[in-house]
Structure formats: structure tokens, C-alpha cells
Amino acid sequence: MEFPILLIVIIVLALIFDYINGFHDAANSIATIVSTKVLTPFQAVLWAALWNFAAFFLAAYVIGEFRIGNTIAKTVNENFINLEVIVSGLIAAIAWNLLTWWFGIPSSSSHTLIGGFLGAALMHAFMLDYHDVVATQPDLGTFETFKQAFHQVTTQSVVKFDVVIPIFLFIFMAPIIGMVISIIITLIIVHIFKKSNPHKADQTFKRLQLASSALFSLGHGLNDAQKVMGIIGAALIYYHVDMLNDPLYVNLEPAARFDYFAQHYLWVPLVSFLAIGLGTMSGGWKIIKTMGTKITKVTSLEGVSAETAGAITLFITDRLSIPVSTTHTITGSIIGVGLTKRVSAVRWGVTVSLLWAWVLTIPISAIVAGITYLVVTFFS
């Protein structure tokens, strides 16, 4: 089977985004283990990369499905998905990821990708409606034409809000859940070890941090690699349904197509998990510094609590099929361990800056993707 050039470009860009996600987001899974000096940065990235990739086997052969990838592919009404939409969303996501990486801002690669996908689809729908209004009502002025086209977009269910609203809510819920769980775990650990020798306890927690960081890296791979898989899946499903009219896909219910794609193209999830692991091995040192030391100073005990809480949160959200930001999750978990000491232990100025980056990620990515879509369609 010979793929169209644009589809090949999408697959390549998606894997590049996945790789960038690795050194941008996966740094979160090694920040605490590096700041507590349990592992050197080089050892830590190898450890995290191994467990990022191991998540493929967990999803494919233990869980038996790729729930988050399925959710990502269904954030947009399939009637408003084409290859130009997907490539525009990817370009916008890559641009925002690189910009925030350069400035050391731990924004969400997940929400960047979702924002780009939504923005490009909305612009695609708007342009279809604009041309439709021009053709059917040629006497309207430019402003009225734009107004009418915008009104039509709002009536067409371009965005699947039943899928997207939970994703938006978990921008705030994921760090809160991570924070609450980390507070509970920290208090339990402190109670259990309150009479232990401090040095022996510290050595115990340093060994436990290997396990907790592995769990978090496993959750990170499970969560983030599937997002890229979901975007590639949306492109390949469009290719089989709308371009090939392939009966193997066309005759399936739309809800069943993604699961069939995951079996048909098993190499897609495999390389998606591999790419994020390779990205993790490339590091992300600016973001590690912010996550590991600027929010609050973290001990090995607190590292175990934060990573375990983050991992539990990621496994919960995977079970709920809700893609979340690992950045948000581990940030909330680190804040939680800081709060068990005192409120002032958390550097709220840094935390507020991170919050602004989180809130702005989806709308900025959507706007950039919309503009990119216009450029892509102009040249195509």
C-alpha cells in the first residue's frame, strides 16, 4: 500500500512531536529522582526511557486497548477531519512545544496537541462554511459573510464536547488529585517511619524512589505516547474511509474503527512508545530544574510520595480514558509534598507562572493551528 505524501509527512511529524514530547515532558518523570541525587541525570533518563517504552506492552497485552489514543482521535467530529487539518495541528503543537522548552516552561504537550487539532478543525469548518455562504449568498458583504459562516460553525458540532470537556476539567483536576494523593502518602509514610533512624530511612527511600520513578515513567509512557498514536490513527482512518473507501473500515461503526486500526497498524503504537522513550533519553535539563527544585525542595521521602501519587493519578485517568498532562500531574504531586511541611515551602510565584502556561496552551495552540491551516491549504 502506497501512502500519499501528506500522510507520510503527518506520520513523520507526529513521531517528531512524540520525540520532542520525550525531552520536553518526560523530564517530569526524572526531575525528583535527579534532584534527590538517587540517580545521575544520565542514569535517570535511561531508567525513565526504559519504562516509557515498557508501557507499550502494558497497554497492548495487559490492558488490551489504547483508551487514550481512542479519546484523542475522537475529540473532533470525523466529518471535519482531513490530512490538512491534522498536519496543521501537528505543526502548531511542535512550534509551541519547542518555544516552551526553550524558555524552560513545563507546559503540557498533551494539551498543545489537542489544542492544535481542535483549532485546525474549527478553521477547516469555518472555511467550508465561508465558501458555502459566498456561493449561496453572493450579495452579502464581507463582514456579514464572516458572521454567517461563524454562526454556521457554532451549529455543526465540530468539537465533540462530551469528549473535550472532561479533558478541560482535568487540566485542573489532575494536579489536584495528584496533590491530595501525595499529601496522603506523605503523611502515611511519616507516621510509619517517625521512629526510624533518619539515615537508614533515607537510604530506604532512595531505593524506593527507583520503583516510584519507574511507575511514574510507566504511567507517562502509557498516557503520552497514545496521544500521538491517536493523531496518526485519525489520519489513517481518514485515509481508509474517505480516500480509499476501504470496506474493512467503512463497514465498521465509527466507534469501532480506532480499535481496528490499532490491530491493523500495530507498528504505530510500537513506534509511538519507542519515540517518546528516545526523546526521554535526550533529556530536558531546563525543565528538570524547574520541576525538581524551583517549586519546592524535595527529599527522597517526598520524591517517593510525589512520583507514586503522580503514577496513581495517571493510571486512574487512563482507566477513565481521559488524556491528562503529566506536567500538571507531577506538579500537583510535588506541591502536595511541599504542603505537608508548610504552605510557604511551595514557591507560589513559580506555581502561578506554570498555571498561566497551562491555561494559555490550548487557546494559543488552537490559534496557531488555525493560521497554519490557512497557510497549508493556500499552498496545497
Side-chain angles (χ1 to χ4, degrees):
M1 184 183 298
E2 192 170 321
F3 289 156
I5 294 296
L6 191 54
L7 180 56
I8 295 171
V9 169
I10 285 170
I11 293 170
V12 171
L13 282 178
L15 294 176
I16 290 172
F17 176 85
D18 206 14
Y19 176 83
I20 293 170
N21 189 1
F23 70 73
H24 183 282
D25 263 17
N28 304 334
S29 62
I30 68 172
T32 56
I33 203 169
V34 171
S35 66
T36 55
K37 297 182 171 59
V38 173
L39 294 177
T40 66
F42 180 69
Q43 291 170 333
V45 293
L46 289 178
W47 184 247
L50 170 67
W51 292 102
N52 279 170
F53 181 62
F56 164 76
F57 300 97
L58 177 63
Y61 302 111
V62 179
I63 297 172
E65 59 182 323
F66 298 92
R67 299 180 184 124
I68 288 176
N70 198 356
T71 299
I72 293 291
K74 292 175 179 173
T75 52
V76 171
N77 186 325
E78 57 271 13
N79 295 322
F80 299 97
I81 295 175
N82 62 20
L83 299 185
E84 288 81 6
V85 165
I86 296 169
V87 78
S88 301
L90 279 168
I91 291 169
I94 289 170
W96 179 249
N97 247 11
L98 288 175
L99 183 67
T100 54
W101 167 78
W102 180 257
F103 288 103
I105 301 169
S107 66
S108 168
S109 298
S110 310
H111 296 119
T112 301
L113 190 61
I114 293 166
F117 194 25
L118 296 179
L122 285 167
M123 183 58 78
H124 171 58
F126 175 79
M127 293 309 298
L128 288 176
D129 290 332
Y130 177 81
H131 291 303
D132 179 61
V133 173
V134 168
T136 57
Q137 303 179 61
D139 297 332
L140 287 181
T142 303
F143 177 76
E144 286 299 318
T145 301
F146 272 92
K147 183 179 175 182
Q148 183 65 27
F150 181 79
H151 174 71
Q152 286 186 203
V153 169
T154 61
T155 65
Q156 290 174 318
S157 301
V158 179
V159 176
K160 291 188 176 179
F161 286 104
D162 60 323
V163 176
V164 172
I165 287 174
I167 296 174
F168 275 90
L169 290 177
F170 269 76
I171 291 177
F172 307 100
M173 289 298 295
I176 291 171
I177 293 170
M179 181 180 69
V180 171
I181 294 174
S182 69
I183 289 171
I184 293 169
I185 292 174
T186 304
L187 293 176
I188 291 171
I189 290 175
V190 168
H191 179 73
I192 292 172
F193 286 87
K194 63 184 176 183
K195 294 181 181 179
S196 301
N197 178 284
H199 176 72
K200 287 185 178 179
D202 187 58
Q203 293 304 308
T204 299
F205 291 126
K206 284 188 174 181
R207 287 191 292 270
L208 286 173
Q209 232 189 319
L210 289 172
S212 63
S213 65
L215 276 174
F216 186 78
S217 296
L218 191 69
H220 174 263
L222 188 66
N223 183 73
D224 280 38
Q226 289 192 57
K227 293 161 188 171
V228 167
M229 173 194 168
I231 291 295
I232 296 175
L236 284 168
I237 290 168
Y238 171 81
Y239 171 64
H240 279 276
V241 173
D242 294 88
M243 298 180 73
L244 293 184
N245 199 28
D246 183 350
L248 292 175
Y249 282 81
V250 172
N251 294 336
L252 289 172
E253 289 294 322
R257 287 172 185 163
F258 187 86
D259 288 336
Y260 181 76
F261 145 77
Q263 297 171 11
H264 187 192
Y265 289 100
L266 189 60
W267 63 266
V268 172
L270 181 66
V271 297
S272 297
F273 282 84
L274 180 62
I276 199 168
L278 292 173
T280 299
M281 289 174 64
S282 301
W285 314 120
K286 290 182 179 183
I287 294 170
I288 290 171
K289 185 178 179 183
T290 299
M291 299 304 297
T293 60
K294 284 189 177 179
I295 294 174
T296 186
K297 294 290 183 182
V298 179
T299 65
S300 55
L301 180 158
E302 294 157 351
V304 170
S305 299
E307 289 161 350
T308 305
I312 291 171
T313 305
L314 291 175
F315 289 128
I316 289 171
T317 55
D318 179 75
R319 184 69 185 86
L320 297 173
S321 304
I322 299 174
V324 297
S325 166
T326 51
T327 309
H328 298 185
T329 303
I330 195 65
T331 300
S333 300
I334 293 172
I335 289 171
V337 298
L339 288 173
T340 61
K341 292 181 284 190
R342 60 187 184 281
V343 174
S344 61
V346 178
R347 292 168 182 165
W348 295 105
V350 175
T351 305
V352 170
S353 299
L354 298 181
L355 186 61
W356 274 112
W358 299 350
V359 171
L360 293 173
T361 291
I362 288 180
I364 290 177
S365 300
I367 291 167
V368 173
I371 296 169
T372 304
Y373 174 81
L374 293 177
V375 174
V376 168
T377 52
F378 178 78
F379 286 105
S380 62

